[in-house]
Amino acid sequence: MAESISSSPSIDPASGYCHETRTFHSLRPPVPLPPASTPLSITSYVSSLHLRRPPPPGLASVIESGSGRRLTYPEFASRVETLAGNLRSRLGLSRGDAAFVLAPTCLEIPVLYYAILTVGAVVNPANPTSTASEISRQIQLSRPVVAFATSASARSLPRAAALRTVLIDSDEFRSMMMTRGAPPSPADPAAEILQTDPAAILYSSGTTGRVKAVVLTHQNLVAYTVGQVSKRDSEPKRAAPMVVLLTVPMFHVFGFNFCLKTIAMGETLVVMGRFEMGAALKAVERFMVSYMPVTPPLVVALVKSREVTGRDLSSLEVVGCGGAPLGRDVSERFALKFPHIQMVQAYGLTESCGAATMTIGPEGNQRCGSCGRLEQNLEAKIVDPETGEALGPGQRGELWLKGPTIMQGYLGDAKATNATLNLEGWLKTGDLCYFDQDGFLFIVDRLKELIKYKAYQVPPAELEHVLQSHPEIVDAAVVPYPHEESGQIPMAFVDKLFF
């Protein structure tokens, strides 16, 4: 656990920087975690939260925005328990087995995730729009024993894998959620789940290169959830639980975490099968959405789109932006257009189990261009990529992270794991960053993507932000292009806005 700033006089209380160790510490109070040696799964931890603070009677746990289908918390718990029992008895799924999930977002996905985790098996979701070769590569990495797909997405599964496949939109799966199987034998209880056991395998390109299988443990997920719960408990009690509209996919760490933590915190999760701006705005109105996690292109679209005109967004309190840096201009325009909505920015990776920094409150939101301060229980270093020297506030270098949410490693890729995680547990992010004098993190760009123009290093993100300021550009990507005289020059790809 990260050292508390109050426990060491050498730690600057403004920036969190320790001059002795050249390490940045979280400025937020450390949060106690369950002893690592105590057997504990993320689902058993969630159950303990619900016992301590039961969700209101009749509250919807999950709502499917298009169809309006919903599950109350008792219904959700019953389906998870029934499905988990059938995963054991019908499919033989057990502790440590990987369960590949290739399906678009729907009401059944959160139930499936929780049931897989309850068994002690490993949730292994993938993008259903991936190519057959990409899916084949992912399956080679994780070696699942069963696949869950839809009638449409199952066609992308490689036949050579000979995977037992269960269709989520089939009578078989509905029966597994609704019809209880034989109770487990007392002589053969479910295997004890350790915090160090793998809980999820999520795919990432890693800090560099080809797709990698990131292994997150129950301890990682518990530590992340503990942090989120501590924030909620430190705030004034709400009149009603949050309603979260999930606009990001649940196979990505961003959506995966929101799926788990929204249920854990007794809130309502509204899911969309496929994101579409008009449908999202309609869902905000219909379900009185109070929180919406988004990516920067969606923020740009909200700022520039005419579809927002005439919509009742009065229930929307917070928009949480992550996945990529958000330009200062876009942040300022969002604040002008939606003055009643708080913008929360965060930075994280699949390898850090999601958010590693976040803006909280008015002070953070006034720090345009920053993605916030270190989350509780985390430490960071800014390391000169050339010399390996740890740097102080205001100096640019590669961001390194350390703490209880850092991944176990890349499955089946010891070389990549050793290149990304050092022996002391520091995760090398590959991102060029700096902390300011008040401990706010600023992302400059990816180290490997810097454009070498003559003697200068040009961050593509800065040029992308300039392009995104144009009223007709939704998103932009800038890449280096070979140039005889200059070495490299920027080349941009833009996505125009059509009304």
Side-chain angles (χ1 to χ4, degrees):
M1 184 181 296
E3 183 180 9
S4 170
I5 61 171
S6 61
S7 65
S8 173
S10 63
I11 298 177
D12 181 356
S15 67
Y17 181 67
C18 177
H19 293 271
E20 293 179 1
T21 62
R22 297 189 174 185
T23 300
F24 290 88
H25 296 258
S26 176
L27 294 167
R28 293 168 186 151
V31 180
L33 300 176
S37 58
T38 303
L40 182 67
S41 70
I42 179 61
T43 49
S44 59
Y45 173 69
V46 169
S47 295
S48 71
L49 291 177
H50 289 177
L51 286 173
R52 178 166 62 89
R53 188 170 174 172
L59 179 71
S61 59
V62 186
I63 301 174
E64 194 172 72
S65 65
S67 66
R69 293 191 301 148
R70 63 182 62 205
L71 294 173
T72 65
Y73 267 89
E75 290 170 337
F76 182 85
S78 175
R79 281 165 174 70
V80 168
E81 181 184 0
T82 301
L83 181 56
N86 284 313
L87 293 180
R88 292 190 188 100
S89 60
R90 293 195 198 183
L91 303 183
L93 201 64
S94 60
R95 176 186 172 196
D97 290 338
F100 193 69
V101 181
L102 189 72
T105 299
C106 62
L107 185 80
E108 288 77 16
I109 295 296
V111 176
L112 177 59
Y113 281 5
Y114 266 85
I116 292 170
L117 292 166
T118 297
V119 171
V122 185
V123 179
N124 180 204
N127 186 347
T129 65
S130 299
T131 64
S133 61
E134 289 171 335
I135 293 169
S136 180
R137 164 67 177 162
Q138 291 165 345
I139 288 175
Q140 287 175 5
L141 286 171
S142 58
R143 301 185 182 278
V145 300
V146 64
F148 295 91
T150 62
S151 302
S153 65
R155 300 168 192 159
S156 300
L157 292 170
R159 295 181 181 179
L163 267 177
R164 168 73 185 273
T165 303
V166 177
L167 301 181
I168 294 172
D169 51 356
S170 68
D171 290 338
E172 178 189 13
F173 186 78
R174 282 187 283 271
S175 172
M176 291 175 66
M177 282 202 307
M178 303 294 290
T179 307
R180 293 183 182 272
S185 169
D188 186 26
E192 192 172 57
I193 300 173
L194 305 179
Q195 291 187 56
T196 52
D197 285 348
I201 298 171
L202 305 182
Y203 297 108
S204 164
S205 61
T207 56
T208 59
R210 202 176 176 189
V211 66
K212 298 175 179 65
V214 176
V215 180
L216 300 177
T217 64
H218 286 271
Q219 185 178 38
N220 293 148
L221 299 181
V222 168
Y224 174 83
T225 307
V226 166
Q228 300 305 307
V229 171
S230 72
K231 288 180 192 174
R232 179 198 64 184
D233 291 348
S234 66
E235 297 170 350
K237 189 173 181 180
R238 297 176 56 86
M242 281 269 193
V243 178
V244 178
L245 175 61
L246 195 61
T247 65
V248 290
M250 280 193 274
F251 59 78
H252 187 276
V253 69
F254 197 178
F256 180 82
N257 278 342
F258 263 93
C259 171
L260 295 184
K261 87 177 186 75
T262 302
I263 301 295
M265 296 172 69
E267 301 170 341
T268 296
L269 181 70
V270 181
V271 299
M272 301 182 66
R274 179 178 177 273
F275 177 78
E276 193 275 320
M277 176 67 78
L281 296 174
K282 183 178 179 180
V284 171
E285 290 180 299
R286 180 181 178 187
F287 303 111
M288 300 295 290
V289 170
S290 46
Y291 192 110
M292 188 165 67
V294 298
T295 55
L298 179 51
V299 178
V300 174
L302 284 168
V303 167
K304 299 180 179 181
S305 176
R306 295 173 185 169
E307 290 189 73
V308 176
T309 305
R311 296 286 187 178
D312 181 8
L313 305 183
S314 59
S315 67
L316 192 57
E317 303 171 24
V318 183
V319 165
C321 184
L326 186 66
R328 177 188 296 267
D329 177 66
V330 177
S331 298
E332 292 174 345
R333 292 173 66 185
F334 183 90
L336 287 173
K337 189 169 184 177
F338 305 103
H340 74 285
I341 302 176
Q342 179 186 358
M343 169 68 75
V344 172
Q345 293 194 58
Y347 162 84
L349 308 90
T350 308
E351 290 83 353
S352 65
C353 194
T357 69
M358 185 176 292
T359 60
I360 297 179
E363 181 183 2
N365 294 325
Q366 292 170 5
R367 202 66 59 111
C368 284
S370 170
C371 48
R373 287 170 163 166
L374 275 173
E375 289 282 70
Q376 54 269 72
N377 299 344
L378 283 178
E379 300 172 65
K381 285 185 179 182
I382 299 294
V383 178
D384 187 313
E386 300 294 332
T387 66
E389 178 187 3
L391 306 174
Q395 296 179 288
R396 295 182 175 189
E398 182 182 16
L399 175 66
W400 290 14
L401 295 169
K402 186 178 182 181
T405 57
I406 301 302
M407 69 169 181
Q408 191 177 71
Y410 296 120
L411 186 64
D413 198 337
K415 182 179 179 181
T417 299
N418 293 335
T420 306
L421 282 173
N422 73 10
L423 295 177
E424 296 178 343
W426 286 100
L427 172 71
K428 304 174 185 179
T429 69
D431 288 317
L432 184 66
C433 309
Y434 68 92
F435 285 96
D436 70 9
Q437 298 295 334
D438 295 313
F440 286 91
L441 181 70
F442 291 80
I443 310 297
V444 179
D445 217 320
R446 294 287 294 166
L447 279 172
K448 66 174 182 176
E449 292 174 359
L450 291 176
I451 298 170
K452 309 300 195 313
Y453 174 77
K454 296 184 177 179
Y456 300 96
Q457 292 185 334
V458 181
E462 293 183 359
L463 300 179
E464 290 164 357
H465 292 158
V466 172
L467 290 169
Q468 288 169 356
S469 67
H470 191 283
E472 293 185 10
I473 294 178
V474 175
D475 201 5
V478 175
V479 299
Y481 187 81
H483 189 270
E484 185 176 356
E485 295 182 5
S486 304
Q488 294 177 333
I489 58 173
M491 181 171 69
F493 298 85
V494 299
D495 184 9
K496 291 187 67 179
L497 185 69
F498 294 96
F499 295 104

